[in-house]
Amino acid sequence: MKVIIVGGGIMGLSIALELRKADDLEVMVLEKSIPGAEASSAAAGMLAPQFEATGPGPMFDLTLLSRMAWPKFAATLEERSGVAVDYLPCGGLQVAFTDDEVHALDAKISWQKAQGLRAELLSGDELFAREPKLNPKALAAADLPDDHQVNPRQLLRALAIAATKAGVGFKSGTVRALVETGGTVTGVDVDGEVLGADVVVLAAGAWSGLVSGAEVDPGRVKPVRGQMVELQLRAPIFTRLLKSAGGYLVPRADGRVVAGSTMEMVGFDKNVTAEGLQKVLAASIQLVPELAGAAVTSTWAGLRPWTDDQLPFLGEGPKPGLLLATGHFRNGILLAPITARLIGQLVRHEKVSVDLKPFRYRRNSP
Ligand SMILES: Cc1cc2nc3c(=O)[nH]c(=O)nc-3n(C[C@H](O)[C@H](O)[C@H](O)COP(=O)(O)OP(=O)(O)OC[C@H]3O[C@@H](n4cnc5c(N)ncnc54)[C@H](O)[C@@H]3O)c2cc1C
């Protein structure tokens, strides 16, 4: 059986690798730029369902399942590629600077604890004992010790190497359209060349609504720009992920700090702007005032694949022969292991281990 994957971001590469775990499938990834060039390498690399969640539900459950899969996913990838992906079990603090934010954290901790998760409200001495460099104006924080991080650029390198070693084929080019026979997708048109496939997986991130013939409504998948800043300290001065209402900080082990991020619907514009940088830096300095003296070593922006209800599209697409693995918005790095597993099960016609109804493309129809 031949599988074509449109898009070589974290989704496309993770799925390709999963599909090549046995020799039964021929797998080809089609990428218009270079693998990992877009949102996936722009990400901060937080593996943080508890940080990110706004409430319980199928999306939260999916992110927790994926977080559980991460240690093995990272270890296997390192073994297969020889590249360290810097999976770091660092934990996180979600910090409140106002009374309203403290109440919101309290509520979040309650529903997360009710699900059996570790979460605790810290204030005063307890808080500053954990992270002494935190702004003394912080009133409290949710301690979320099971949210972690990985280095997305290393990760994407590792995935590309592991996929190549596993026998995944790569082709550069833009998929202009899907090709169909009698209403079933049977291949793709890549820069005018037709390639046949038994299954096509659309993993084109923010561009997923632009592939002609896929019938993915461009109004349901849109790019949301995120601007990022990398700061360099001589040595790390805090070790946990830190998040506030204004932004977040991801401390790498070597003293770099990745600071993010804006959420802007500005089409496919990937510029870094003065206003964007100002927002990210202000939030960073509010969290850890000492960062005011840190060197700015890099800035960039990426396009998150947003969906209209902020749930990904996973599984059967609008047409037979087409599977979707897109719309992971703010959590695509976190969701890679579970997405790859589920798409692998669908391609192989195995029992699917998660109820995909909330994530299917036509979720509003019976
Ligand atoms: C600033 C920022 C910070 C983030 N931080 C985090 C984080 O901390 N944790 C987390 O879990 N997630 C985070 N995310 C989200 C995460 O990066 C995305 O959800 C994830 O990368 C999406 O992966 P993808 O493979 O679907 O998309 P992409 O990485 O964008 O890959 C899609 C690929 O498809 C290719 N493509 C598109 N159209 C075509 C075509 N027609 N033909 C051929 N190729 C095509 C593109 O060139 C691209 O390489 C962040 C995102 C951003 C932008």
Side-chain angles (χ1 to χ4, degrees):
M1 186 173 18
K2 186 167 179 185
V3 182
I4 281 183
I5 299 173
V6 183
I10 189 163
M11 290 307 152
L13 297 180
S14 304
I15 293 165
L17 192 56
E18 169 71 20
L19 294 179
R20 284 294 302 165
K21 73 180 180 195
D23 249 349
D24 54 338
L25 302 174
E26 193 186 328
V27 182
M28 172 157 292
V29 172
L30 303 178
E31 169 54 54
K32 68 179 168 60
S33 175
I34 53 166
E38 296 291 349
S40 301
S41 293
M46 291 182 291
L47 307 173
Q50 290 181 255
F51 252 7
E52 283 289 311
T54 50
M59 178 64 169
F60 187 56
D61 295 344
L62 193 73
T63 57
L64 289 179
L65 273 179
S66 208
R67 184 176 72 182
M68 270 190 325
W70 253 98
K72 188 163 173 224
F73 185 74
T76 309
L77 202 50
E78 290 190 344
E79 196 185 297
R80 291 202 193 169
S81 65
V83 175
V85 301
D86 299 348
Y87 172 76
L88 197 59
C90 56
L93 292 177
Q94 186 161 351
V95 182
F97 286 98
T98 67
D99 290 334
D100 283 351
E101 287 169 14
V102 177
H103 293 139
L105 283 186
D106 223 5
K108 182 174 194 168
I109 287 169
S110 296
W111 72 256
Q112 294 197 352
K113 277 181 129 167
Q115 301 229 339
L117 297 165
R118 295 201 295 166
E120 195 191 342
L121 193 68
L122 303 178
S123 55
D125 292 347
E126 284 176 317
L127 178 55
F128 297 105
R130 296 277 209 293
E131 291 295 358
K133 297 292 181 177
L134 206 55
N135 190 337
K137 290 187 182 144
L139 299 181
D143 184 20
L144 306 171
D146 298 316
D147 278 352
H148 300 323
Q149 64 162 299
V150 69
N151 182 323
R153 290 186 192 166
Q154 294 290 104
L155 174 68
L156 268 290
R157 264 181 223 123
L159 273 168
I161 291 170
T164 306
K165 284 186 176 173
V168 172
F170 284 89
K171 190 173 170 66
S172 291
T174 301
V175 173
R176 293 184 186 157
L178 301 189
V179 174
E180 59 179 83
T181 314
T184 296
V185 173
T186 52
V188 300
D189 170 339
V190 51
D191 293 326
E193 184 188 351
V194 172
L195 301 177
D198 300 290
V199 180
V200 173
V201 181
L202 185 64
W207 295 264
S208 297
L210 304 185
V211 177
S212 164
E215 284 176 18
V216 172
D217 179 351
R220 292 186 69 192
V221 190
K222 286 186 185 167
V224 168
R225 181 170 71 186
Q227 301 190 42
M228 304 285 285
V229 180
E230 185 188 82
L231 304 165
Q232 177 77 57
L233 296 160
R234 241 187 311 280
I237 57 172
F238 59 98
T239 59
R240 290 167 180 77
L241 308 173
L242 299 179
K243 186 177 197 261
S244 68
Y248 56 76
L249 296 168
V250 181
R252 306 288 192 223
D254 61 2
R256 281 176 302 152
V257 175
V258 174
S261 180
T262 57
M263 296 266 280
E264 305 161 87
M265 260 206 195
V266 289
F268 290 90
D269 177 349
K270 283 199 299 179
N271 279 323
V272 173
T273 65
E275 189 186 27
L277 289 184
Q278 186 187 38
K279 278 189 186 156
V280 172
L281 290 173
S284 307
I285 293 166
Q286 186 198 29
L287 275 165
V288 178
E290 223 173 279
L291 286 177
V296 173
T297 43
S298 181
T299 63
W300 66 91
L303 302 173
R304 306 175 185 90
W306 168 96
T307 63
D308 49 359
D309 58 6
Q310 292 170 37
L311 301 179
F313 294 131
L314 299 178
E316 282 164 27
K319 288 178 179 172
L322 174 64
L323 295 176
L324 302 184
T326 189
H328 294 78
F329 191 34
R330 292 170 59 99
N331 287 296
I333 305 298
L334 169 63
L335 287 168
I338 192 74
T339 301
R341 188 191 301 164
L342 293 169
I343 298 294
Q345 290 166 345
L346 284 167
V347 169
R348 291 200 158 86
H349 302 290
E350 292 168 357
K351 187 175 176 328
V352 179
S353 52
V354 169
D355 177 10
L356 288 179
K357 266 195 227 100
F359 308 113
R360 66 185 184 190
Y361 184 71
R362 296 212 166 90
R363 37 201 171 234
N364 297 326
S365 51

